[in-house]
């Protein structure tokens, strides 16, 4: 078993060549490790029992060899993924169920009748370019990161019935050092290239192709431990919103359902509200640009979503106007999604959360307030 810690970022195929030309990729700290074609078959029951237990089971073909992989759900927060992973070489692209006995295979999936129903459900084919970053993090410690650029498709069906979802993502996997280093490298790459944190896995892309009409963003419930401090409560609420608003925007791209733009706007407003409400324990960085970036994005999304709010007031009238307004708004959304500000907001917040950077600006009063219990404050 290995523990995988990686930061996943979505990137437009239109920006791939510009990404490769960024100064970081030209520096001596980065070693080009070439490109490989990867083909994956994902397995589940027709009822999707595996995904319900939040595990992913696949066989990957890599350079003529087959690798069986099991991944648990772990945690995916603001693009930062932490999960357990098991891998074995197998002789052919068929599952070896005996190997699963070595893992944290859920007890609910041990029924022989259920195991017999596990079949291929979808596939992913993509080209992976990899680089190895070997440098020093802001903490002065060695920072070793594998950078992978994946381009291809998740797909189901054959011939005219084939459906696909594009894969174009950058993954930064931590090999040595602090998770904060992942965000620091991503922020450097994202200064000129739009890179938005993503919690949508390749497996999720395949599953939603199986039933696109029922796809929806999972919204986790907000709960706090009994003795949660105000600082911890702030972190939990901020992490939830950081996970949600990029997913809402990605869901809009997949579904074109405008409810997701409205939800993304509300989530971003929640983030602004959290920073304002907790300003007595989370002092703003006087040299930071997060607040103006957040204010600008909220205004832009508000304006793009204006037609949708107006349409809701028209009681079904003005269909021709609505269609024209929607088309204009879709064009504006596509442009907005290609701006660097979105990614910078998500990455800056993610870095704050993993490093607790506001603590460096704490006064004694800030610290005392931050340590107060949520349910006693």
């Amino acid at each position: 078993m290995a523990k995988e810690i990686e930061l996943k970022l979505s990137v437009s195929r239109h920006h791939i060549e510009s990404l490769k030309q960024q100064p970081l990729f030209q520096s001596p700290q980065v070693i080009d490790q070439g490109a490989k074609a990867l083909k994956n078959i994902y397995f589940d029951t027709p009822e999707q029992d595996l995904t319900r237990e939040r595990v992913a089971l696949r066989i990957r073909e890599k350079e003529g060899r087959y690798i069986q992989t099991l991944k648990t759900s772990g945690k995916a927060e603001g693009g930062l993924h932490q999960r357990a992973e098991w891998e074995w070489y197998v002789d052919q692209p068929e599952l070896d169920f005996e190997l699963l006995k070595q893992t944290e295979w859920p007890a609910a999936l041990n029924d022989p009748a259920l195991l017999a129903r596990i079949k291929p459900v979808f596939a992913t084919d993509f080209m992976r370019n990899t680089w190895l970053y070997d440098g020093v993090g802001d903490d002065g410690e060695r920072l070793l990161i594998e950078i992978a650029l994946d381009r291809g498709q998740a797909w189901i069906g054959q011939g005219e019935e084939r459906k696909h979802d594009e894969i174009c993502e950058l993954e930064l996997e931590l090999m040595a050092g602090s998770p904060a280093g992942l965000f620091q490298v991503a922020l450097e790459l994202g200064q000129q290239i739009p890179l938005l944190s993503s919690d949508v896995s390749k497996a999720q892309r395949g599953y939603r192709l199986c039933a696109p009409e029922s796809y929806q963003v999972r919204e986790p419930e907000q709960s706090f431990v009994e003795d949660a401090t105000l600082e911890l409560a702030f972190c939990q609420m901020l992490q939830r919103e950081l996970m949600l608003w990029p997913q809402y925007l990605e869901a809009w791209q997949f579904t074109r359902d405008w409810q997701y733009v409205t939800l993304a706007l509300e989530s971003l407003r929640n983030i602004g509200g959290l920073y304002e409400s907790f300003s007595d324990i989370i002092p703003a960085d006087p040299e930071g640009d997060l607040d103006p970036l957040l204010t600008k994005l909220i205004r832009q999304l508000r304006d793009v979503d204006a037609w949708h709010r107006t349409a809701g007031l028209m009681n079904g009238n003005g269909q021709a106007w609505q269609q024209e307004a929607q088309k204009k708004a879709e064009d504006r959304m596509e442009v907005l999604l290609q701006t660097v500000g979105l990614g910078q907001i998500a990455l800056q917040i993610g870095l704050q959360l993993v490093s607790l950077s506001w603590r460096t600006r704490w006064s004694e009063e800030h610290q005392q307030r931050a340590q107060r219990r949520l349910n006693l404050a």
Side-chain angles (χ1 to χ4, degrees):
M1 184 189 77
K3 185 174 183 180
E4 183 181 61
I5 301 177
E6 67 179 18
L7 179 62
K8 182 178 293 186
L9 306 161
S10 62
V11 56
S12 168
R13 57 186 174 86
H14 302 295
H15 294 291
I16 294 301
E17 293 309 314
S18 297
L19 175 67
K20 292 179 179 179
Q21 297 305 313
Q22 292 304 297
L24 184 137
F25 284 106
Q26 315 306 317
S27 74
Q29 295 172 308
V30 175
I31 302 170
D32 190 342
Q33 297 188 308
K36 298 174 182 177
L38 299 176
K39 297 182 178 182
N40 306 275
I41 302 171
Y42 285 80
F43 295 80
D44 206 337
T45 66
E47 300 80 19
Q48 298 187 5
D49 292 280
L50 273 66
T51 191
R52 190 158 38 246
E53 292 295 324
R54 305 189 70 186
V55 298
L57 182 60
R58 75 176 186 219
I59 291 181
R60 166 172 288 176
E61 180 183 350
K62 180 180 179 182
E63 298 179 321
R65 301 192 70 181
Y66 299 105
I67 304 171
Q68 178 174 315
T69 302
L70 174 70
K71 293 187 179 185
T72 61
S73 60
K75 296 190 299 182
E77 298 175 336
L80 186 65
H81 296 244
Q82 302 183 56
R83 56 197 170 194
E85 178 183 72
W86 293 262
E87 289 190 336
W88 312 266
Y89 283 104
V90 291
D91 294 331
Q92 52 192 343
E94 297 180 3
L95 292 175
D96 184 341
F97 288 98
E98 288 298 312
L99 296 173
L100 300 178
K101 295 179 180 179
Q102 307 170 16
T103 73
E104 297 171 5
W105 182 252
L109 301 178
N110 276 329
D111 179 13
L114 183 149
L115 294 175
R117 297 199 306 275
I118 296 178
K119 306 293 182 185
V121 287
F122 61 88
T124 62
D125 296 341
F126 55 92
M127 183 66 68
R128 169 167 288 178
N129 291 81
T130 57
W131 298 263
L132 188 65
Y133 174 90
D134 193 348
V136 178
D138 287 356
D139 57 3
E141 299 295 325
R142 186 188 186 197
L143 182 61
L144 190 63
I145 298 173
E146 183 184 74
I147 303 173
L149 174 64
D150 293 342
R151 290 174 292 170
Q153 294 180 345
W155 59 273
I156 62 171
Q158 301 289 338
E160 294 183 357
E161 295 184 357
R162 177 182 169 119
K163 295 186 292 184
H164 72 271
D165 191 9
E166 183 180 20
I167 295 170
C168 194
E169 58 193 28
L170 193 69
E171 295 181 356
L172 281 65
E173 183 173 354
L174 188 67
M175 315 299 288
S178 166
L182 297 176
F183 289 94
Q184 290 157 0
V185 170
L187 280 164
E188 181 177 347
L189 289 173
Q191 288 180 1
Q192 303 296 328
I193 306 298
L195 297 173
L196 186 60
S197 59
S198 173
D199 289 324
V200 180
S201 68
K202 294 180 180 68
Q204 286 174 300
R205 292 184 184 278
Y207 277 116
R208 69 184 182 183
L209 285 173
C210 299
E213 69 285 349
S214 62
Y215 172 70
Q216 57 184 346
V217 174
R218 293 179 178 177
E219 301 178 359
E221 294 184 7
Q222 188 71 76
S223 60
F224 305 101
V225 296
E226 185 176 352
D227 60 347
T229 63
L230 287 176
E231 183 190 29
L232 179 58
F234 168 82
C235 290
Q236 287 185 227
M237 290 185 285
L238 184 61
Q239 185 66 74
R240 181 179 186 274
E241 301 303 329
L242 178 58
M243 180 189 70
L244 284 173
W245 72 264
Q247 282 199 64
Y248 289 144
L249 293 181
E250 197 278 338
W252 176 84
Q253 289 181 291
F254 181 72
T255 66
R256 283 303 194 265
D257 186 338
W258 278 85
Q259 70 161 325
Y260 286 119
V261 177
T262 304
L263 288 169
L265 177 58
E266 187 65 20
S267 180
L268 286 162
R269 284 174 169 157
N270 288 344
I271 290 175
L274 284 168
Y275 277 108
E276 176 62 29
S277 300
F278 285 82
S279 59
D280 57 348
I281 63 171
I282 310 295
D285 182 354
E287 299 180 359
D289 59 356
L290 178 59
D291 185 64
L293 282 173
L294 184 60
T295 300
K296 180 180 179 181
L297 179 56
I298 288 173
R299 184 178 67 251
Q300 289 173 318
L301 273 181
R302 179 203 64 194
D303 293 346
V304 172
D305 193 44
W307 84 270
H308 183 225
R309 296 196 305 274
T310 302
L313 303 174
M314 299 179 74
N315 196 28
N317 295 295
Q319 291 299 313
W321 175 88
Q322 289 188 40
Q323 291 176 5
E324 182 180 354
Q326 180 175 347
K327 178 60 172 63
K328 290 180 180 178
E330 286 178 350
D331 293 341
R332 292 176 67 185
M333 270 296 296
E334 291 293 354
V335 172
L336 179 57
L337 289 170
Q338 299 306 315
T339 57
V340 297
L342 278 76
Q344 290 289 300
I345 290 170
L347 290 169
Q348 287 187 32
I349 295 174
L351 178 57
Q352 286 185 12
L353 283 167
V354 298
S355 65
L356 305 178
S357 57
W358 54 80
R359 290 185 174 184
T360 63
R361 302 186 295 276
W362 265 358
S363 65
E364 184 176 343
E365 187 177 6
H366 285 132
Q367 185 172 357
Q368 289 176 349
R369 289 175 177 168
Q371 293 173 349
R372 291 167 63 185
R373 304 299 177 189
L374 173 65
N375 290 324
L376 297 177

